[in-house]
Amino acid sequence: MASPSDSNTPLIEGRRRRSILCNLSSSFALRTSLLSELGGAVGDLGTYIPIVLALCLVNGLDLGTTFVFTAIYNAATGLLFGIPLPVQPMKSIAAVAISPSTHLTLPQIMAAGICTASFLLLIGATGLMSLLYRLLPLPVVRGVQLSQGLSFAFTAISYILKNQDLPSGKSFGQRPLLGLDGLLLALSSLVFIVLSSGSGSDAPRRSRLFVPSALLIFLLGLVICFIRDASVIQSLKVGPSPLHLISIGWNDWKIGFFQGAIPQIPLSVLNSVIAVCKLSSDLFPDRQASAAKVSVSVGLMNLVGCWFGAMPVCHGAGGLAGQYRFGGRSGLSVLFLAAGKLFLGLMFGNSFVRILGQFPVGILGVLLLFSGVELAMASRDMGSKEESFVMLVCAAVSMKSSAALGFVSGLLLYLLLRLREVNWSFLFGRCRGETMTQSSSGYTEVGGA
């Protein structure tokens, strides 16, 4: 005779399947149009491509492995959060890694990513990140967002106006007016995006034709890659990169932690979690990303991928702003991006790095410019001069020093301004009243003696 638990098993399994299908349909629902989501898919490539390319050329990062793992991350985050949450390089680790003075080896880069991920996983799983998210004043968070957005915009303008050596991160000479990576091409791309999508304030609607401007500009850039150097076709090799574990020694852990993880941790907490969650609440009030989930997500991604040599990654507010700016409204946007990365990673492996090396930097600058401006515009909701004051001081210190110091400066300034609102006269008056009572009591006692 079948037990009651056995008879209920098909019912429970059916409910689980329906729950999974509901999650899939909700996360990957088409909320605007297919072209809109396709346009949003490439919205953060202005940040992604230059850093990945530099790490591949300078530090020997395997592009095929990074493509495959970041594709898996993209698909997973799209399903988990249901918004176009990006997967971007850990910028501070990348900056240290490619710098000639602090050049990091591949095992040291991976050690830095694992150490940063472990910290984020710990504070996310214990609830400390959620507590921090609730306690942080909004003007301070807006200051971090503003500084990051303006930093992207300034870098983008440099990409557009000057020649770039991406591996060293340095600019040299003015960009020529004509040519396949000339100033005219970059400015024409900028004008096309403005004419086709305006300031980005108009959300794509089903009722009107939407032009996926970022996608078209990116495809143009890929075509130009082959025109600039036709020999890149011959360098392509079919097949994925071989998968192998990275051997990390004690010295790699030490250097990775002190030189890579320590500068990256404050940036990851502020920009990759706090700022991302604040921005998601602005853009998607009904699907706000949880600070704990985002923190745990960053931790789990790197604790898996870094052992195989995949680039250390996080979720960036700039990438979310960029994908939203160019039409991304659901997890479907990053699912499309995941499909593209997975195809390239499995089809061409590390050989695709030759093509990325020919991509017009001016076009990357245009995409990055709109992402940066969109992120900076999140700070426009400050309702008072006092809030704007805190935000601007925080942003200024962040840009001239570091996000961590800017955050501390903004927080201290916010607390000082709150102290001014304390009713000190009431406190002093109460103290004086107690002193007078004690004095009069003392006189009485003396007189009675």
Side-chain angles (χ1 to χ4, degrees):
M1 178 181 291
S3 65
S5 59
D6 293 336
S7 61
N8 288 335
T9 299
L11 180 61
I12 294 174
E13 291 180 353
R15 288 176 178 174
R16 286 176 180 171
R17 289 195 211 97
R18 285 195 296 271
S19 177
I20 293 173
L21 290 174
C22 287
N23 289 335
L24 284 171
S25 61
S26 175
S27 298
F28 298 132
L30 190 61
R31 299 179 183 274
T32 51
S33 68
L34 191 62
L35 287 178
S36 173
E37 299 293 352
L38 283 169
V42 299
D44 74 325
L45 294 184
T47 304
Y48 182 89
I49 291 178
I51 296 177
V52 171
L53 183 60
L55 289 172
C56 289
L57 297 178
V58 176
N59 306 94
L61 183 80
D62 190 279
L63 182 64
T65 301
T66 292
F67 269 172
V68 170
F69 274 95
T70 54
I72 296 171
Y73 303 156
N74 278 132
T77 53
L79 172 62
L80 180 63
F81 296 99
I83 61 175
L85 192 65
V87 174
Q88 294 185 315
M90 286 190 176
K91 300 175 186 64
S92 183
I93 291 177
V96 172
I98 65 178
S99 173
S101 60
T102 57
H103 179 84
L104 300 182
T105 64
L106 193 61
Q108 291 164 359
I109 295 172
M110 299 305 131
I114 292 171
C115 290
T116 305
S118 300
F119 178 82
L120 291 176
L121 180 61
L122 176 65
I123 63 174
T126 57
L128 291 176
M129 184 65 81
S130 297
L131 179 63
L132 183 63
Y133 178 76
R134 290 195 299 269
L135 293 178
L136 281 183
L138 182 61
V140 178
V141 178
R142 291 297 191 229
V144 174
Q145 289 177 313
L146 178 61
S147 67
Q148 191 70 41
L150 291 177
S151 177
F152 283 166
F154 293 156
T155 301
I157 291 172
S158 178
Y159 281 4
I160 294 171
L161 297 180
K162 297 183 178 181
N163 292 314
Q164 303 293 320
D165 181 19
L166 291 180
S168 66
K170 294 181 179 179
S171 305
F172 60 95
Q174 296 297 317
R175 186 173 297 283
L177 179 63
L178 302 177
L180 294 175
D181 193 10
L183 182 61
L184 184 61
L185 174 66
L187 294 179
S188 299
S189 302
L190 190 150
V191 170
F192 172 73
I193 292 176
V194 172
L195 290 177
S196 60
S197 62
S199 64
S201 58
D202 301 322
R205 302 189 187 98
R206 296 178 184 273
S207 58
R208 71 158 191 251
L209 178 64
F210 176 77
V211 178
S213 53
L215 178 62
L216 295 177
I217 292 298
F218 177 73
L219 293 177
L220 173 64
L222 282 181
V223 172
I224 291 176
C225 289
F226 296 99
I227 298 176
R228 293 181 71 184
D229 185 3
S231 65
V232 296
I233 299 178
Q234 300 174 355
S235 66
L236 289 177
K237 298 178 181 179
V238 178
S241 300
L243 201 63
H244 61 275
L245 284 170
I246 300 294
S247 176
I248 305 176
W250 168 247
N251 193 54
D252 298 325
W253 287 112
K254 185 171 63 175
I255 293 175
F257 176 73
F258 285 105
Q259 294 190 17
I262 287 181
Q264 179 64 50
I265 286 173
L267 184 62
S268 291
V269 171
L270 295 173
N271 184 58
S272 302
V273 181
I274 303 295
V276 162
C277 293
K278 289 289 186 184
L279 186 61
S280 73
S281 68
D282 297 334
L283 302 179
F284 308 100
D286 59 328
R287 289 170 283 152
Q288 178 182 355
S290 160
K293 283 186 178 181
V294 172
S295 187
V296 170
S297 172
V298 175
L300 292 178
M301 287 190 301
N302 293 285
L303 287 178
V304 175
C306 286
W307 287 106
F308 297 94
M311 174 185 64
V313 294
C314 59
H315 301 304
L320 177 58
Q323 289 176 326
Y324 182 88
R325 170 62 176 77
F326 290 113
R329 295 296 184 271
S330 72
L332 192 61
S333 182
V334 287
L335 184 63
F336 287 143
L337 181 59
K341 288 179 180 178
L342 191 62
F343 171 77
L344 294 176
L346 295 178
M347 188 69 181
F348 302 114
N350 196 49
S351 66
F352 196 76
V353 74
R354 279 286 307 276
I355 294 179
L356 286 187
Q358 296 300 321
F359 200 94
V361 179
I363 287 181
L364 292 177
V366 171
L367 296 176
L368 183 59
L369 176 63
F370 284 97
S371 300
V373 171
E374 185 70 27
L375 177 58
M377 284 197 298
S379 62
R380 68 187 184 276
D381 64 348
M382 292 293 92
S384 66
K385 186 175 181 180
E386 184 177 277
E387 290 180 336
S388 298
F389 177 55
V390 174
M391 176 190 71
L392 292 173
V393 170
C394 178
V397 176
S398 296
M399 294 190 67
K400 294 302 292 184
S401 180
S402 66
L405 185 58
F407 164 75
V408 172
S409 302
L411 187 59
L412 290 176
L413 182 58
Y414 179 85
L415 294 175
L416 286 174
L417 292 173
R418 295 284 75 77
L419 283 176
R420 294 180 70 251
E421 299 177 0
V422 176
N423 191 353
W424 297 107
S425 60
F426 169 76
L427 182 61
F428 289 147
R430 182 177 178 182
C431 291
R432 282 199 302 270
E434 291 176 353
T435 303
M436 292 178 62
T437 301
Q438 292 172 357
S439 300
S440 60
S441 174
Y443 293 144
T444 302
E445 291 175 1
V446 171

